[in-house]
Structure formats: C-alpha cells, structure tokens
Amino acid sequence: MTAPGRRGGTARLVALVLGVAIIAVVAVYVAKGGGSGAAGGSCVDEPVAEVHGVIGSEKEEFFRDPRVVERLRCLALRVVVDSRGSLDMVDPLRREGHGYDFAFPGSRTTAREILDDQAIRHELPALDPYEVFSSPMVIATLSETVTTLRANGVVRSVADQDVVDLGRVLELVSAGTTWSALNADGPATDQTPVLLYSTDPDASNSGFLLLAAAAWTRNQNRAEIGAENMAAVAAQVCPLFAAQGGSKPIKSQDLFDQYAGQNPRTSMAFVYESQYLSAKVLPEGHDVLYPNPGIASVHTLIALDAKGQRVGQVLRDDDELARLVAEHGFRPQGRTVQPKGLADPPVTAAESPSFDEMRSLVDRLVAMRASGKRCGG
C-alpha cells in the first residue's frame, strides 16, 4: 500500500445507520450582526450552547477531526450529532419533540424534502438552508482495471481525466460479464464478474446517489420517472445492487476502507471524491474514475431554529473551518480554498428523481431482494 500520489480531477456535478451517535464538541464563532468570516484563533466569551443535529455519516470524520474540535473548542457551541442515511433522515424529523436543531443531509433531494416537510408542518414561510460544501461521486479503482475498461471502450480520457460510461458499466454488470471476457491478455480462468461495489441505497447516501444516477441513465436521461415507468426502471437498475450480494457495507467509509485496504473484491467502489482526496493510505496502483453521467453529494445544512442557524452560518463563513473542510476533500461552496488536485472533466450532470420516486425505487429493490427472485422476477 502506498500513500496517495495522483489526485484525479473532478467535475462539478449535481445516509442509514440507526442508533449510531457521535458527539463532536464544536465551538463556533458568529460575528455579531451578520456572521462574516472569522479570523483563525478568534474566541467568543459566551455561555456554551448545546446544539443537536442529524447528519449524513460521510461527515463523521470531519466532526471528529481533533483540529476541528480544537479550532471550535473555545467558541461557545457544543454540537451533538446523530448519523443517519438519506431515506432515514426524514421520518425522525416528523416526530414531535425530536430535539434536533438542524439537519445536514448529503443530497439535495433529501434536503428539499426536509425543507418542504418542515415548512408545512410548522407553517413556516421558509427555513434556512446552507449549502456548505459538496463532493462529486467517483469510482475508486486500480490502474489495471482502468486499462481493461479503456481497451473495451468503457473509459476514455476527457480533459486529462479518466471518465467512465456509467451506462456501459450497468450493461456489463447486468449481463454478468467477467473480467476474463474483457481482458484477452489476462488469465482465462478469471471468472470474477464485473461489479461496481456500493452501499445499499436504503442504508447510505452514497448508494442512494448511485441509484439516482443509474435511474437517470435508464430513464433516457430524465429525472422524473412516472408511475407507468417505475417498475421497468427498477428492474433495469436492480442488477447493479443485486449482483453485489447481500452483505454490502452499511457506511460509505466502510466501503472505502475495504478499497483502501486492497480487498480483492473491491476493484471498483462508488465513493465520495472527498474520501479519495483526503485518504492517508491508498492501495498500490490506485486510480479514480469520474462517472458519466455524474452526480454530486451537496451537503446542505437546514437550520430548524436559531441554534441550528448559528451552526450553518459558521460552517459557511468561517475561514479556518473552510480550510479544514477542504483538507477533508470536500469542496467548500463559494470559497477559493479547495481540495488539492481538482480538475473539471465535462460530463453530463444527472438529476435525481424526487424523494418520493427515490423511495418507491428503493422499496421495489428491497421487495425484489426479499422475494429471492433477484431482479424483475
């Protein structure tokens, strides 16, 4: 295993662990009268307020970072966060007395659902959303895998960055294509199937976003599926998840750790760009592919009250936090500071179906899995 060298380019493209709670001691600075960028080292002489939030698990490492904790420790705000997936984040917020001051999902689709739902339930004209940072989804892989896919027309170079045709990957997986069938120079006995490993879309935001991108691809590059097309689209995207078997990682970080540890099963893993860019260790021959169409995880903090608003403001406006966000591989919104090694290959940006349609797709996939009939049976 080697420390990461090459950092792939990127595209500007458009989470369910139950019972997992982490506590991040977070102190935040909010400038009186506006919340402008805070200088590093600024502290606030105020009583500490405790703020509760529900977040996507992909942000756990950021909140646990000792440098983040130290930067914010003296700044008077203690943040307690629960980690959940995209589909599992909405219902807890509908319960009376849920106790959350903010929600911090990793997809715009979930953010819109929470915004609309909370505004209606509490008769609010609007809630405060803060699009704090983002991360395109990528396929972490190995150079030999890229070489094989390129030879078969599945990967091409765009603006000096390797881009993979997601539709073609779905076709290969659905057909049960093996690596030996793609690699004439490889061992004929290698009957390992071509698989794109992910988390379950009903358990994690990264799997949720892969489902959204695959649905876009199979729905003729349209976001809205419609009731009349739902069964057909579900059957077409089902193999992408069913072929992996039933023991997928619960969290995207678990999936990335399998890849980084050079698990031979994980030659292609659908992960966050931020994980690849911020990794301390990557496998020998590591490489990264940007899917076409691509989809981004846009991390939107939704303030449910004044305390949540303070957290959103500081994450958006604090200079030192923005620098640490970038060090974790995320792209701070509206900031010059960005992760190192970025590029922008021109790929099509997939749009996610609505939250209700995504839930319908997930329900169908779960039903197929439970029936034992695999896909479309």
Side-chain angles (χ1 to χ4, degrees), residues 129-152:
Y130 298 86
E131 289 194 349
V132 182
F133 46 81
S134 64
S135 179
M137 304 306 297
V138 299
I139 296 176
T141 186
L142 304 173
S143 57
E144 60 184 3
T145 301
V146 175
T147 298
T148 299
L149 294 176
R150 192 192 309 279
N152 287 271

Side-chain angles (χ1 to χ4, degrees), residues 15 46 50 54 65 77 102 119 193 241 259 264-265 318 336 350 369 377:
E46 296 177 4
E50 185 166 285
V54 56
D65 187 335
L77 197 62
F102 68 90
F241 301 96
Y259 161 76
R265 283 170 44 89
D318 185 86
T336 56
R369 182 173 62 204

Side-chain angles (χ1 to χ4, degrees), residues 1-3 141-144 259-260 262 281-287:
M1 295 167 56
T2 61
T141 186
L142 304 173
S143 57
E144 60 184 3
Y259 161 76
Q262 211 157 12
V281 173
L282 288 169
E284 193 74 34
H286 60 88
D287 210 335

Side-chain angles (χ1 to χ4, degrees), residues 11 18 29 69 122 137 196 202 231 237 243-244 263-264 317 326 329 341-342 376:
L18 295 171
Y29 168 85
V69 174
H122 299 288
M137 304 306 297
L196 175 55
D202 60 331
V237 301
Q244 301 177 46
N263 184 320
D317 298 336
L342 297 186

Side-chain angles (χ1 to χ4, degrees), residues 181-226:
L182 295 179
N183 188 0
D185 297 326
T189 56
D190 183 6
Q191 297 302 309
T192 306
V194 176
L195 296 175
L196 175 55
Y197 284 93
S198 71
T199 55
D200 263 324
D202 60 331
S204 167
N205 184 60
S206 57
F208 184 87
L209 290 172
L210 176 57
L211 176 59
W216 163 276
T217 301
R218 286 295 170 258
N219 193 40
Q220 300 179 339
N221 296 346
R222 297 194 306 259
E224 184 178 356
I225 298 173

Side-chain angles (χ1 to χ4, degrees), residues 33-210:
S36 58
S42 297
C43 293
V44 107
D45 186 17
E46 296 177 4
V48 173
E50 185 166 285
V51 184
H52 293 254
V54 56
I55 68 168
S57 63
E58 68 282 348
K59 292 179 281 289
E60 287 182 357
E61 292 299 316
F62 172 76
F63 282 110
R64 284 174 171 162
D65 187 335
R67 297 171 301 166
V68 174
V69 174
E70 181 59 27
R71 166 72 184 105
L72 303 173
R73 177 188 55 79
C74 64
L75 301 178
L77 197 62
R78 171 183 166 91
V79 175
V80 181
V81 292
D82 294 334
S83 169
R84 293 179 181 266
S86 287
L87 286 177
D88 197 39
M89 194 174 288
V90 176
D91 287 343
L93 294 172
R94 290 174 174 162
R95 301 179 191 137
E96 293 299 326
H98 56 66
Y100 293 121
D101 303 296
F102 68 90
F104 203 177
S107 78
R108 278 192 171 128
T109 301
T110 303
R112 291 191 195 104
E113 180 70 9
I114 294 172
L115 280 166
D116 293 344
D117 189 63
Q118 292 295 310
I120 292 170
R121 288 174 62 81
H122 299 288
E123 298 182 352
L124 300 172
L127 294 174
D128 290 317
Y130 298 86
E131 289 194 349
V132 182
F133 46 81
S134 64
S135 179
M137 304 306 297
V138 299
I139 296 176
T141 186
L142 304 173
S143 57
E144 60 184 3
T145 301
V146 175
T147 298
T148 299
L149 294 176
R150 192 192 309 279
N152 287 271
V154 184
V155 167
R156 61 191 179 95
S157 293
V158 180
D160 297 323
Q161 176 58 52
D162 289 332
V163 172
V164 61
D165 186 332
L166 185 60
R168 290 276 282 117
V169 171
L170 182 50
E171 290 171 3
L172 293 173
V173 173
S174 299
T177 306
T178 64
W179 286 109
S180 63
L182 295 179
N183 188 0
D185 297 326
T189 56
D190 183 6
Q191 297 302 309
T192 306
V194 176
L195 296 175
L196 175 55
Y197 284 93
S198 71
T199 55
D200 263 324
D202 60 331
S204 167
N205 184 60
S206 57
F208 184 87
L209 290 172
L210 176 57

Side-chain angles (χ1 to χ4, degrees), residues 272-303:
Y272 297 94
E273 177 199 57
S274 58
Q275 293 172 312
Y276 188 88
L277 293 180
S278 64
K280 300 296 188 295
V281 173
L282 288 169
E284 193 74 34
H286 60 88
D287 210 335
V288 64
L289 295 169
Y290 286 81
N292 188 25
I295 195 163
S297 176
V298 180
H299 302 271
T300 306
L301 188 146
I302 301 160

